[in-house]
Amino acid sequence: MRIATWNVNSIRARVARTVEFAVREDVDVLLMQEIKCKPEQFPYAPFEDAGYTVEAHGLNQWNGVAIASRAPIENLQIGFPGMPGFAKGHDGPDAPQEARAIGATVDGVELWSLYIPNGRSLDDPHYTYKLAWLEALRGYTADTLRANPDLALALTGDFNIAPTDADNGDPTVVDGVSTHVSPPEREAFRALLDAGLADTVRPLVPSGFTYWDYKQLRFPRNEGMRIDFVLGSHAFADAVAAAAIHRDERKGEIPSDHVPVSVDLDLAGPDDDDRPMIW
């Protein structure tokens, strides 16, 4: 099974590129972020023509997440338990939730498409919201894996965090000044790993960024950031046989500022190689 995650930065503007990538790269499940549309506005037809079923979650022209799969999508979840909400000037536990998380089970694997809040600036309420959102995600992950330690679970998407200095090549993103690289954000990312997840891409792809700002020639200068991830439980990570950062998708006409990240899973059971051959 090939799984890819991609912040498409408006699916209606980039549907042709998105479907072409999925077909060309033989992607079985594509997890999308920042679709920027409501479900009734999603361009389903090109995906369906290519053999995909789509589940989308969006509330307005901002944010939004979706799953496109060749295999049946089961156990659909919109948001995760404890996920906080946000609205400017709205404090308290009843703040409205944004369209930032959609999960489902495909071929026995629990997959999440996540668009973690940006944070905006270190003194912005959105930064506090981002940390609370990440803590709620950590709690969901820990509870889920505690209840089912052998679950194949993957949290994928745009995390809006560069967890190490090697993941930040943008000279304007500076510790102490910018979001994405602050110690609390990086600690929140490590807490997800401590909850039972592993970065499944970096061990197989030792370098490369996943995001380049549109401004200041960031892409030609390769002044990017690695902020898109596939974090997997041990059962998921143990099945990852290959991974890729699809850098060339940042080229060409109307590209997203992010590129897809993919992993290949070897889901063969332990006894599959012992089955008799049938001629």
Side-chain angles (χ1 to χ4, degrees):
M1 180 194 297
R2 177 164 292 173
I3 297 166
T5 178
W6 195 358
N7 179 323
V8 295
N9 191 12
S10 179
I11 188 59
R12 289 178 291 177
R14 298 181 173 87
V15 61
R17 284 195 67 139
T18 304
V19 174
E20 286 168 7
F21 164 79
V23 172
R24 183 181 67 250
E25 298 297 329
D26 198 22
V27 174
D28 295 297
V29 185
L30 178 62
L31 301 128
M32 293 167 276
Q33 303 86 45
E34 226 179 336
I35 60 170
K36 294 184 177 180
C37 67
K38 298 176 181 179
E40 59 267 28
Q41 298 169 316
F42 192 97
Y44 294 98
F47 284 90
E48 293 169 349
D49 290 345
Y52 293 91
T53 298
V54 176
E55 294 287 353
H57 173 45
L59 300 173
N60 47 40
Q61 73 273 31
W62 310 110
N63 309 322
V65 284
I67 299 173
S69 176
R70 289 170 168 169
I73 297 173
E74 302 175 316
N75 303 323
L76 186 69
Q77 301 182 66
I78 302 300
F80 54 85
M83 189 179 84
F86 180 81
K88 193 171 183 179
H90 189 130
D91 296 322
D94 59 340
Q97 289 192 348
E98 298 180 305
R100 293 186 176 274
I102 187 170
T105 300
V106 179
D107 282 346
V109 181
E110 183 175 323
L111 298 169
W112 283 89
S113 178
L114 304 172
Y115 181 40
I116 280 71
N118 177 284
R120 299 177 183 169
S121 67
L122 298 179
D123 59 354
D124 194 288
H126 207 259
Y127 178 77
T128 303
Y129 163 58
K130 179 179 189 175
L131 296 178
W133 205 97
L134 286 162
E135 171 55 24
L137 180 62
R138 183 211 61 80
Y140 171 77
T141 302
D143 290 346
T144 299
L145 294 178
R146 190 180 302 114
N148 190 353
D150 295 323
L151 174 68
L153 166 70
L155 307 186
T156 85
D158 177 0
F159 281 70
N160 274 315
I161 301 170
T164 72
D165 290 345
D167 298 313
N168 177 30
D170 187 329
T172 66
V173 178
V174 181
D175 182 20
V177 177
S178 312
T179 60
H180 293 52
V181 296
S182 70
E185 290 167 286
R186 287 179 166 179
E187 288 167 10
F189 189 92
R190 285 193 294 271
L192 288 171
L193 304 183
D194 292 341
L197 301 176
D199 180 350
T200 64
V201 175
R202 196 46 113 202
L204 298 171
V205 186
S207 64
F209 301 128
T210 66
Y211 163 85
W212 297 261
D213 197 302
Y214 289 124
K215 298 176 291 185
Q216 302 297 316
L217 299 175
R218 291 284 177 245
F219 182 66
R221 293 172 176 171
N222 199 32
E223 295 175 342
M225 304 177 76
R226 187 174 77 109
I227 58 177
D228 302 86
F229 298 91
V230 178
L231 304 184
S233 65
H234 82 85
F236 183 95
D238 289 349
V240 172
I245 295 174
H246 299 267
R247 188 179 189 277
D248 284 351
E249 290 302 322
R250 184 60 172 78
K251 302 176 182 178
E253 296 183 7
I254 58 167
S256 172
D257 44 2
H258 295 251
V259 297
V261 178
S262 67
V263 297
D264 293 352
L265 293 188
D266 181 359
L267 296 174
D271 299 325
D272 284 5
D273 291 339
D274 296 329
R275 289 179 298 181
M277 297 182 71
I278 301 175
W279 302 94

